[in-house]
Amino acid sequence: MLLPFKSLLVFEAVTRNKSFTKAAEELNVTQSAISHQIRNLEEYFNTKLLDRSGVGIALTEEGEILYKDLSASMALLRRGVSSLKASLALTPVGISVRSHFALKWLSSRLRAADFSYDFRFFHSNEPADFSNADIHVSIEWLHLAEVPANARMIVAGNLTPACHPSLLEGIDDPTDPQLLQRFALLHETDVTSWQEWLQLAGVDGLVPLRNEYYSDTNVRQQAAIEKQGFALVCPELIRDDIAEGKLVCPFEQSLDSYSYYLIVPEDRLNIAKVRDFVHWLSNTM
């Protein structure tokens, strides 16, 4: 008997979206058509796959067994389709990258390069979700302890505090880390990086004027430019701001536990323009 591929497609969409309505919208069919295909699939296996007794959609034990492998297979199929489209120039090269790195380093270099294909950017501080077939490469900010074997360093982190030059006016020794107690420390979502840097500088017990937290690195750096306090920065990424007198890095201590890395799954390298982009980026580092 032939496999009910259409019903399997519908079942995967319903389960992944956790919704008959969203699955219908994704597949451009009616909800009644979705329900019909689910019934067909349950009749094919002669077992219930979805538990409709509660609120929302839940898988039965048999449904869990089917969805586990079906989900992986459908993700692989979507990647295959995406790879073919990309190789035929039907889709852009998808880059998952932090917005700060894109703004301060990548964008200007891409504009200066002469590419014959398009790009699509996915801005996120989280690791790339390569189950998304539209993402081909990722540039990630990683601690040394979490760098995967296939990663290539693009820019060394070398984090060090930066502030607007005016904050140092009238300070006898602007290279003394103890001066930070007079100002606000501008953090990301937690204090980890600042704690590591303060320990490195020998002032791990320092209590700043206050702490501020920013989930967006660009906003945090802008706060430093606007004299709100000190932010940890990667000097390589703020060369223009330093040259224009917007920021200064007064301390010699530099935390080198984080860096930007390029990550490319092996299957993405089957696409010629992805290989071309990776080659270009490797020569740009």
Side-chain angles (χ1 to χ4, degrees):
M1 181 182 293
L2 292 175
L3 287 174
F5 287 110
K6 187 173 182 178
S7 296
L8 288 168
L9 175 67
V10 168
F11 173 74
E12 189 274 340
V14 167
T15 306
R16 172 168 43 81
N17 287 291
K18 298 181 175 61
S19 167
F20 276 64
T21 302
K22 291 181 180 179
E25 292 173 354
E26 177 181 307
L27 299 175
N28 196 29
V29 297
T30 64
Q31 288 192 51
S32 60
I34 294 289
S35 298
H36 177 71
Q37 291 299 330
I38 295 297
R39 285 196 301 271
N40 282 348
L41 194 61
E42 290 180 330
E43 290 174 3
Y44 177 86
F45 287 110
N46 193 29
T47 189
K48 289 293 183 183
L49 300 171
L50 297 178
D51 182 358
R52 304 171 179 84
S53 61
V55 177
I57 295 173
L59 292 172
T60 64
E61 184 177 347
E62 293 77 12
E64 292 279 5
I65 293 171
L66 176 62
Y67 182 67
K68 180 180 179 181
D69 289 333
L70 183 61
S71 174
S73 299
M74 290 302 298
L76 184 61
L77 284 172
R78 283 192 288 269
R79 287 201 299 271
V81 170
S82 177
S83 295
L84 178 58
K85 285 183 176 180
S87 67
L88 296 174
L90 298 176
T91 60
V93 172
I95 304 173
S96 176
V97 59
R98 287 189 170 218
S99 59
H100 182 64
F101 187 84
L103 178 66
K104 294 295 186 179
W105 195 92
L106 183 61
S107 296
S108 60
R109 288 167 173 79
L110 282 177
R111 287 194 297 271
D114 184 22
F115 290 103
S116 60
Y117 43 84
D118 299 330
F119 293 92
R120 176 178 287 118
F121 299 96
F122 299 83
H123 296 304
S124 173
N125 290 345
E126 300 301 319
D129 177 12
F130 285 112
S131 67
N132 182 346
D134 291 327
I135 297 178
H136 302 105
V137 302
S138 177
I139 299 173
E140 299 183 11
W141 174 248
L142 299 173
H143 191 278
L144 283 173
E146 59 187 9
V147 178
N150 65 336
R152 312 180 196 182
M153 184 187 292
I154 302 175
V155 173
N158 301 326
L159 289 177
T160 191
C163 69
H164 190 276
S166 66
L167 295 191
L168 301 177
E169 293 176 0
I171 294 179
D172 293 336
D173 183 4
T175 66
D176 181 4
Q178 288 286 354
L179 68 85
L180 291 171
Q181 64 188 336
R182 308 184 191 182
F183 302 99
L185 299 188
L186 312 180
H187 302 267
E188 291 199 33
T189 52
D190 60 51
V191 300
T192 304
S193 295
W194 263 112
Q195 286 179 337
E196 292 183 8
W197 187 89
L198 291 172
Q199 184 176 20
L200 177 68
V203 290
D204 48 316
L206 183 139
V207 178
L209 178 66
R210 66 179 181 277
N211 295 289
E212 297 181 3
Y213 300 86
Y214 298 79
S215 60
D216 189 310
T217 305
N218 293 320
V219 176
R220 179 167 53 89
Q221 184 172 304
Q222 185 61 34
I225 292 173
E226 294 177 0
K227 311 175 188 179
Q228 297 301 308
F230 281 75
L232 286 175
V233 302
C234 177
E236 174 70 18
L237 301 188
I238 64 162
R239 287 182 176 181
D240 291 344
D241 294 310
I242 293 174
E244 294 169 9
K246 296 179 180 179
L247 289 172
V248 63
C249 300
F251 308 115
E252 63 180 19
Q253 295 87 354
S254 181
L255 184 67
D256 62 359
S257 54
Y258 287 88
S259 294
Y260 288 95
Y261 292 86
L262 172 67
I263 299 175
V264 191
E266 286 297 323
D267 65 321
R268 279 15 180 219
L269 291 173
N270 295 328
I271 305 170
K273 60 186 176 182
V274 172
R275 292 197 306 272
D276 178 68
F277 172 73
V278 170
H279 177 73
W280 169 82
L281 190 58
S282 298
N283 290 332
T284 308
M285 296 176 189

